[in-house]
């Protein structure tokens, strides 16, 4: 089991948010991180980053920032460009927000409406009366992770099962071949 964390300033509700990650999701994430880190390293060399997916820009709009994250809207922008280039013709319309609606419906049916709200970082109707802000901010670190864990496990298993039934294969890190490919490509461009 792993955990993803978002600081308060990145969340719409301006509250820190944690999400438990089942082992299968951790494995997929670690493979993606390894691939992405290798691609960025091929462009910029060794550099430390606090971000799981750091930007290939090494200087942000703020000159003091040399550790830039991938822009939060990058995947949406990529889907829009693919749609514009007609690369998604013949496929039903998809957006990241639609995944949230499908997840909510699934979790509401198979786990609970509360779990659906918790996983999507939505406040529950009684949340303000359950705990004082100081207690929540400094002393309560659970974030109802047990309920989120059950929901994330069920949702992840359902997604992976559907993906495999449709003929997909689970990803594996490919840093080696990609590293050689991009180094060779860069030499040709220089």
């Amino acid at each position: 089991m792993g955990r993803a964390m978002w600081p308060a300033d990145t969340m719409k509700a301006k509250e820190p948010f944690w999400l438990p990650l089942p082992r299968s999701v951790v494995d997929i994430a670690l493979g993606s991180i390894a691939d992405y880190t290798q691609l960025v390293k091929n462009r910029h060399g060794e550099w430390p980053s606090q971000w799981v997916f750091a930007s290939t820009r090494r200087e942000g709009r703020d000159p003091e920032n040399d550790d830039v994250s991938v822009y939060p809207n990058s995947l949406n922008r990529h889907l829009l460009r693919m749609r514009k280039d007609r690369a998604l013709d013949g496929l039903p319309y998809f957006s990241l927000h639609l995944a949230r609606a499908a997840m909510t419906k699934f979790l509401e049916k198979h786990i609970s409406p509360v779990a659906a709200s918790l996983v999507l970082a939505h406040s529950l109707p009684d949340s303000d009366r359950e705990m004082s802000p100081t207690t929540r901010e400094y002393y309560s670190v659970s974030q109802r992770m047990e309920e989120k864990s059950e929901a994330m496990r069920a949702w992840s298993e359902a997604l992976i099962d559907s993906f495999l039934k449709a003929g997909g294969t689970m990803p594996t890190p490919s840093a080696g071949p990609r590293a050689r490919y991009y180094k060779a490509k860069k030499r040709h461009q220089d």
Side-chain angles (χ1 to χ4, degrees):
M1 197 56 116
R3 178 177 64 186
M5 298 179 292
W6 289 263
D9 63 335
T10 64
M11 298 299 296
K12 190 187 301 184
K14 301 301 179 203
E15 294 278 337
F17 181 68
W18 300 352
L19 198 58
L21 304 176
R23 181 77 247 164
S24 57
V25 174
V26 171
D27 291 342
I28 293 167
L30 289 176
S32 297
I33 292 166
D35 283 351
Y36 190 81
T37 300
Q38 184 63 54
L39 294 175
V40 176
K41 188 187 298 184
N42 292 342
R43 278 194 164 160
H44 301 288
E46 289 288 338
W47 52 269
S49 179
Q50 68 172 336
W51 302 104
V52 172
F53 295 106
S55 176
T56 56
R57 284 179 73 172
R58 295 302 355 127
E59 190 174 301
R61 288 180 175 83
D62 171 5
E64 300 292 315
N65 182 11
D66 63 353
D67 188 18
V68 184
S69 71
V70 169
Y71 184 66
N73 204 21
S74 294
L75 187 53
N76 278 332
R77 186 178 294 156
H78 181 65
L79 288 171
L80 287 172
R81 287 179 181 156
M82 287 178 70
R83 216 172 271 122
K84 182 180 175 190
D85 291 343
R86 308 187 67 77
L88 301 178
D89 284 358
L91 296 175
Y93 175 81
F94 173 79
S95 74
L96 294 174
H97 226 79
L98 286 177
R100 293 171 65 96
M103 181 184 212
T104 300
K105 187 174 181 178
F106 174 87
L107 293 176
E108 184 177 21
K109 178 179 178 185
H110 296 284
I111 305 298
S112 75
V114 169
S117 291
L118 290 170
V119 167
L120 295 175
H122 292 162
S123 298
L124 298 173
D126 295 334
S127 64
D128 288 339
R129 284 181 251 135
E130 287 179 0
M131 192 178 295
S132 78
T134 302
T135 305
R136 186 174 56 247
E137 179 73 22
Y138 297 104
Y139 302 108
S140 175
V141 294
S142 74
Q143 291 207 10
R144 299 179 78 166
M145 293 294 267
E146 287 182 27
E147 290 162 290
K148 289 181 187 178
S149 292
E150 183 182 359
M152 287 299 294
R153 188 173 20 266
W155 176 243
S156 299
E157 287 172 2
L159 282 180
I160 290 170
D161 186 50
S162 294
F163 175 71
L164 294 173
K165 282 180 181 173
T169 57
M170 294 302 285
T172 57
S174 57
R178 285 190 179 180
R180 286 191 299 275
Y181 169 77
Y182 282 96
K183 284 180 183 173
K185 184 177 175 182
K186 186 174 172 40
R187 273 195 300 262
H188 290 283
Q189 290 173 344
D190 292 342

